[in-house]
Amino acid sequence: MTSASELRSGKGDRDENFPVASWIIHPRHRALILAYYNFVRTADDIADHATLPADEKLRYLDLFEAELLGKGDTQAEAVVLRRALAERGMAPRHALDVLIAFRMDVTKLRYENWDEVIHYCRYSAMPVGRFMLDVHGESTSTWAASDALCAGLQINNHLQDCGKDFRELNRVYLPRDALAASGASVEQLGLAQSPPAMLACLQGLAVRNEALLKEGRSLSAEIRDVRLGVDVAVIQAYADRIVRLLKVRDPLRERVHLNKFELLIFSLAGMIGEVGRRAIGRKAISNPGAAHDA
């Protein structure tokens, strides 16, 4: 079978809310994090490939899983991650989890309600945060806040890219019941501008996602590793800003993303805030969110 690297879907610049292996993270962790990232991104490209038939996509994802578990050496990303995890004595559970989400991307194009979207995030986004925490030796008690933040990042991305996902992949992460409650239709996602009903739906979902992101706001303070805590604080600052934009803008009409100046400002704000919090020993804010499925 062809290497998955040869099937890259050619997306160009990615609209991502998951910064990976940033300069803040300690260098000793970066090789493993990048191995995980490359595995996840390549599997994502398989699921999103424009012309590959669904059964072929699933076959490649199954091959990725098999080789991650040691059954073959044809897929470089799986082999590199397998070896990197073995060097650390870490299990592949968080990589196996994301493969579940990518299989869902192939087979499930619509979501009935918010709970179904969160279930998708349990496999598409939450494993990324859990992996980072495990790499740094953090307690599993941090998972609840991490799950909330990662799901919020994923849903931000769903809202940002809702038009593109519909046009290019016929994939809609907006819950059917939310669309129906606003009087919006899936077909409106193909328009250049949201009609009032669709805009109400999108902005209502942004409000709901803002509450989810608040559940994750304690994460940076719960993390013992200073570098990771600062990195998470920066990510949280990005996420909070994006969700505020999504509450007032139309992602069908314009790209709702941070520009370079905003990235700089919110990076500095996140870093200064977390370093300052640690310097004065302020305790973690309480986490109002219930724990997600572990």
Side-chain angles (χ1 to χ4, degrees):
M1 184 176 278
T2 305
S3 170
S5 299
E6 299 174 41
L7 297 173
R8 301 306 291 264
S9 59
K11 294 178 185 176
D13 293 337
R14 294 179 177 275
D15 294 332
E16 290 178 342
N17 293 325
F18 292 99
V20 175
S22 77
W23 60 269
I24 301 173
I25 296 296
H26 196 286
R28 71 175 177 270
H29 299 308
R30 289 179 191 161
L32 175 55
I33 292 168
L34 286 171
Y36 182 81
Y37 175 84
N38 288 332
F39 177 90
V40 171
R41 289 297 89 188
T42 304
D44 186 27
D45 280 346
I46 293 169
D48 289 353
H49 197 280
T51 60
L52 200 65
D55 60 342
E56 283 294 302
K57 292 180 180 183
L58 294 173
R59 197 168 4 257
Y60 271 106
L61 293 172
D62 288 345
L63 180 62
F64 251 46
E65 177 172 319
E67 297 206 357
L68 179 64
L69 296 174
K71 302 170 186 175
D73 298 296
T74 65
Q75 306 301 311
E77 294 83 1
V79 174
V80 170
L81 178 58
R82 183 181 79 211
R83 292 172 179 168
L85 289 169
E87 287 177 5
R88 286 289 197 90
M90 290 179 62
R93 62 176 298 186
H94 304 307
L96 295 174
D97 276 353
V98 295
L99 291 178
I100 294 172
F102 296 138
R103 291 186 181 101
M104 291 173 67
D105 279 337
V106 177
T107 61
K108 184 177 177 67
L109 300 178
R110 302 290 186 269
Y111 291 80
E112 295 300 323
N113 51 48
W114 182 263
D115 287 345
E116 284 196 4
V117 175
I118 294 297
H119 176 74
Y120 172 78
C121 293
R122 163 63 184 87
Y123 294 100
S124 68
M126 296 179 193
V128 178
R130 294 179 182 192
F131 169 78
M132 291 292 290
L133 292 166
D134 280 2
V135 167
H136 288 80
E138 298 292 335
S139 168
T140 56
S141 66
T142 60
W143 281 14
S146 174
D147 287 353
L149 173 57
C150 289
L153 288 164
Q154 180 73 83
I155 294 168
N156 268 358
N157 190 251
H158 288 166
L159 295 173
Q160 289 169 295
D161 293 343
C162 59
K164 182 174 72 173
D165 286 340
F166 175 68
R167 291 190 304 270
E168 298 181 4
L169 299 166
N170 188 30
R171 193 181 294 158
V172 179
Y173 296 103
L174 309 183
R176 286 185 195 266
D177 62 355
L179 289 165
S182 298
S185 69
V186 165
E187 291 72 25
Q188 291 172 347
L189 290 169
L191 300 175
Q193 181 172 331
S194 292
M198 177 58 74
L199 190 59
C201 177
L202 292 170
Q203 294 181 350
L205 289 169
V207 169
R208 188 165 190 178
N209 198 42
E210 184 176 47
L212 180 60
L213 285 167
K214 286 180 181 177
E215 293 181 25
R217 203 163 285 165
S218 65
L219 178 59
S220 61
E222 294 177 18
I223 290 171
R224 293 171 301 178
D225 185 278
V226 175
R227 285 174 176 253
L228 181 60
V230 171
D231 199 47
V232 166
V234 170
I235 293 170
Q236 181 82 50
Y238 292 165
D240 289 344
R241 175 57 177 167
I242 288 169
V243 82
R244 287 196 296 270
L245 293 176
L246 286 165
K247 287 166 57 181
V248 297
R249 293 189 184 176
D250 177 7
L252 295 188
R253 188 173 62 85
E254 60 183 320
R255 292 183 78 248
V256 183
H257 291 79
L258 304 185
N259 59 40
K260 291 182 180 179
F261 178 73
E262 288 174 313
L263 287 170
L264 175 62
I265 291 300
F266 288 102
S267 295
L268 291 173
M271 286 188 287
I272 292 169
E274 181 60 18
V275 170
R277 185 200 65 75
R278 289 176 182 262
I280 64 176
R282 193 166 76 242
K283 293 185 180 297
I285 61 173
S286 61
N287 185 348
H292 292 279
D293 169 33

